[in-house]
Amino acid sequence: MNRKPELRGRAARLARLFPTGSGQAARTPFVLLVVLLLGGGLIGLLVLNSALSEGSFQLDDLQKDTKSLTDEEQALQRDVDAYSAPDALQRRARELGMVPGGDPAFLNPDGTVRGVPSAAAEQSSVRVPVIRPPEALTPEPAATSPEPASTATEPDSTATEPPAGTGEPEPATETAAQPTPTSTTPGR
């Protein structure tokens, strides 16, 4: 004997919508789905967090590199400024054998000459000032010497006398008696 009555029509269609087996079998896939979604979310957050921290370390390294490159750029700009100073340009021109030009003369549009041109200065009549390059201006530790120090106001006779037969002045040499400039910035 069949205990269940047979359903017909609308009741049979509604009965097919309900599961016929036990309720445990339907909950297992749902629980697994929820656990997988939570685990995937946690792993995703972990990956995202580690990527952000790696990015912050890279940002810190790039900021340090930028600071060091900015400092280097400023040092190079100081060197360029020192080399383009008028006294440094004059020293380098003298090293190349150049002399100051004389008075210029100008041509007017009608072809007449205005001014009286003069020849470039002779090297033997030009006094060569002692100009040190920017590298020599950096303070170095003073070496103790047993020689007595002469004053810095004494004229250097080798700076204006040309060597025999060349007609060019001999470059002055830096002596230990000349004072070296020191930095007045505190903490340096």
Side-chain angles (χ1 to χ4, degrees), residues 101-105 116-121:
D103 295 328
V116 178
S118 64

Side-chain angles (χ1 to χ4, degrees), residues 104-147:
F106 300 97
L107 290 176
N108 290 327
D110 61 355
T112 60
V113 178
R114 183 174 39 155
V116 178
S118 64
E122 295 294 324
Q123 283 204 338
S124 61
S125 66
V126 176
R127 183 180 182 279
V128 178
V130 177
I131 300 173
R132 291 184 278 170
E135 297 86 26
L137 296 178
T138 57
E140 295 179 8
T144 57
S145 63
E147 302 174 40

Side-chain angles (χ1 to χ4, degrees), residues 78-79 82 132-142 174 179-183:
R78 280 193 305 268
D79 289 346
R132 291 184 278 170
E135 297 86 26
L137 296 178
T138 57
E140 295 179 8
E174 187 176 325
T180 57
T182 58
S183 174

Side-chain angles (χ1 to χ4, degrees), residues 12-94:
R13 281 182 276 156
L14 286 174
R16 280 187 276 169
L17 294 176
F18 292 114
T20 58
S22 68
Q24 291 290 355
R27 287 187 192 168
T28 306
F30 177 73
V31 170
L32 286 176
L33 178 67
V34 170
V35 168
L36 286 175
L37 286 176
L38 287 176
L42 289 176
I43 291 173
L45 284 175
L46 179 65
V47 168
L48 182 64
N49 189 17
S50 63
L52 287 175
S53 64
E54 180 183 351
S56 68
F57 285 127
Q58 287 177 349
L59 178 65
D60 189 44
D61 290 342
L62 290 175
Q63 286 174 342
K64 287 177 184 177
D65 291 345
T66 301
K67 185 180 181 326
S68 66
L69 289 174
T70 302
D71 292 343
E72 183 179 346
E73 178 191 14
Q74 289 174 353
L76 290 173
Q77 186 62 44
R78 280 193 305 268
D79 289 346
V80 167
D81 291 342
Y83 283 121
S84 63
D87 57 343
L89 290 175
Q90 181 183 17
R91 177 186 50 80
R92 289 195 351 247
R94 293 223 184 266

